[in-house]
């Protein structure tokens, strides 16, 4: 348990652990700054503390963490769980699907901004040490980020294990710095009273409401708690948050508030100005390491979410490298990694400072939190079987808080908040286009499919002749003859001794056990239908799975087996079946999809690809 708590602190709380670097600074120097007077400081601190209690402790740690999909979390896992249990057929599932896809798309927007703002805010401590470092902040941040993305190929487990103890030290330092400052100005402890937060909002009106956008920065990273259930489990996450992480964060925020009460001019950077001068450089180094962990958390989440999207049919196939022989969740996706790297570096160079990036931060996360609350209502009603009044009451209460933060962040849209929304919109278009395109392609291929039963009846008399070995034909349909089989017969005039029609199905659960992995149906003598079932976090391995068919009478010898795959050459049609821009996007995505041979782990020397031209 201690090791799991260490890992949970190191990876899960990395993002939320860097918020003290910029939350208080944004509240008192941002677009809608507050004067660092005693009532304002107490008001902001009270809002930070009670927002963490409501959003992180009550909503995520207590409520959302219950909505695991057989031990896995994240937006796609939550969406799949809700859709699997939602009553009323396909149309009732459409809003859940749309909300889940948009929430997942917003996560990728967050995954781009988090590394940029976290590392920049840490390195900016050099400017506090001496202004001479100011020209080097951006280059140093870029070097740190490039190194981080470069080492992802070593495996998230190795990266996380190396930095987890450092993050524990980081939280201890946060708490210690806070205690040191609070001891000099104990009056700041009055902020624990929620009266100060409510009084702040009441007396400062619109400006107080807008500062909620800065308060929300203390909550970013909470969504990672749910995404990482599968790595650490609920109990270690809950114990680590309640017993160690939140107390250290609260102490540090109160310490910064105490400094502002003593020295209002410290609003320029209350975190680093709270650090004793002798410890400034070590703290900058420690903060930089902690922000690398924050970045690691969202990069890991992006890998996991991308794989789930591929498996559920919302993204084209991509190369997925498994970096651990024992942990299914430890993966590396080169295409996602380097795309994120380019986008993050562009943000650092384009915005130049964490203060400017703060305007773009929060919009995507607050939107994602709203989506999670809405989908969790379906889970509460139809998975946990809560009465309608209770599920609605909890949802309305949480959604009110979420919408408050979203609206407070919405004023930042013109100043940079548009960026994560654009990223989310583009990815949502990609998700829906790929899903729609694959459905249309399946329908077009099915139009020319020969019915299976008449085909089997026709080949019973040994015509065409049979040759030794097994032929496995991959097909998405289960009620017709694959066109690869028809093309093979047309050109080679023979059939293999054993013919297997193979379909791979991704279920709305994370992992499928071996006993449920395979369905084998004997359609005729030496003619088989095989359906393989995988969870949405699993990587298909067809040769390994086919060995499970031997108890059903289907002998499988890889050296005597040939795999026949269809390759579609997509061309536009005069009257497209979807909007022209979607058609072009789908064709481009298809051309860049990872080869099915590698994705399904089929030895390339056992594969025969047969192409066909399809108009969509």
């Amino acid at each position: 348990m201690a090791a799991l708590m260490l890992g949970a602190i190191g990876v899960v709380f990395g993002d939320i652990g860097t918020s003290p670097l910029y939350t208080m600074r944004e509240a008192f120097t941002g677009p809608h700054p507050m004067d660092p007077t005693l009532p304002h400081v107490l008001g902001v601190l009270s809002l930070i503390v009670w927002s963490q209690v409501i959003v992180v402790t009550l909503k995520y740690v207590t409520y959302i963490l219950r909505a695991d999909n057989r031990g896995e979390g994240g937006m796609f896992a939550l969406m799949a769980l809700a859709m699997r249990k939602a009553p009323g057929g396909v149309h009732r599932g459409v809003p859940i699907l749309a909300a889940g896809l948009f929430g997942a798309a917003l996560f990728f927007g967050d995954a781009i901004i988090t590394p940029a703002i976290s590392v920049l805010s840490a390195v900016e401590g050099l400017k506090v040490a001496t202004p001479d470092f100011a020209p080097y902040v951006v280059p140093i941040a870029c070097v740190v980020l490039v190194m981080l993305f470069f080492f992802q190929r070593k495996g998230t487990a190795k990266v996380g294990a190396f930095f987890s103890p450092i993050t524990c030290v980081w939280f201890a330092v946060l708490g210690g710095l806070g205690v040191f400052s609070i001891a000099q100005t104990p009056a700041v402890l009055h902020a624990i009273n929620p009266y100060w937060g409510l009084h702040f909002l009441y007396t400062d009106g619109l400006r107080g409401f807008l500062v909620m956008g800065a308060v929300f920065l203390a909550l970013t990273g909470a969504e990672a708690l749910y995404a990482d259930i599968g790595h650490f489990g609920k109990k270690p996450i809950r114990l680590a948050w309640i017993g160690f992480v939140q107390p250290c964060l609260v102490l540090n925020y109160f310490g910064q508030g105490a400094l502002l009460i003593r020295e209002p001019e410290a609003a320029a950077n209350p975190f680093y100005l709270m650090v004793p001068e002798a410890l400034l450089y070590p703290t900058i180094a420690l903060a930089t390491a902690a922000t690398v962990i924050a970045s690691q958390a969202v990069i890991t989440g992006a890998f996991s979410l991308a794989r789930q999207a591929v498996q559920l049919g919302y993204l084209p196939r991509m190369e997925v490298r498994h970096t651990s022989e024992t942990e299914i969740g430890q993966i590396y996706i080169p295409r996602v990694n380097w795309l994120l790297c380019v986008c993050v570096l562009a943000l650092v160079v384009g915005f130049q400072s964490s203060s400017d990036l703060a305007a773009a931060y929060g919009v995507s996360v607050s939107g994602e939190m709203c989506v999670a609350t809405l989908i969790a209502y379906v889970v509460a009603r139809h998975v946990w079987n809560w009465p309608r009044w209770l599920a609605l009451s909890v949802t309305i209460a949480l959604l009110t808080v979420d919408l408050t933060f979203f609206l407070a962040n919405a004023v930042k849209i013109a100043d940079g908040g548009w960026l994560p929304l654009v990223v989310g919109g583009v990815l949502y278009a990609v998700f829906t286009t790929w899903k729609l395109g694959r459905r249309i392609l399946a329908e077009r291929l099915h139009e020319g499919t020969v019915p299976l039963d008449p085909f089997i009846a026709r080949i019973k008399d040994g015509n065409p002749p049979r040759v030794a070995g097994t032929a496995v034909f991959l097909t998405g349909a289960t009620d017709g003859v694959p066109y690869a089989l028809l093309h093979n017969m047309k050109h080679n005039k023979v059939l293999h001794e054993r013919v297997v029609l193979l379909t791979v199905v991704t279920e709305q659960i994370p992992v499928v056990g071996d006993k449920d992995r395979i369905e084998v149906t004997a359609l005729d003598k030496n003619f088989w239908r095989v359906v393989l079932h995988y969870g949405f976090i699993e990587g298909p391995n067809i040769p390994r799975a086919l060995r499970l068919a031997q108890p059903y009478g289907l002998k499988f010898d890889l050296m005597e087996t040939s795999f026949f795959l269809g390759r579609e050459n997509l061309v536009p049609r005069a009257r497209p079946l979807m909007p022209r821009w979607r058609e072009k996007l789908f064709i481009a995505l298809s051309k860049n999809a990872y080869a099915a041979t590698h994705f399904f782990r089929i030895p390339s020397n056992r594969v025969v690809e047969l192409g066909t031209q399809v108009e969509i």
Side-chain angles (χ1 to χ4, degrees), residues 295-318:
S295 305
Q296 178 64 49
V298 294
I299 294 170
T300 301
F303 291 162
S304 177
L305 209 62
R307 178 178 59 178
Q308 293 178 21
V310 170
Q311 292 294 86
L312 291 170
Y314 297 107
L315 282 177
R317 295 183 301 269
M318 289 185 282

Side-chain angles (χ1 to χ4, degrees), residues 103-119:
L106 288 176
F107 178 86
F108 283 102
D110 177 33
I112 293 172
I113 298 176
T114 295
I117 190 173
S118 298
V119 174

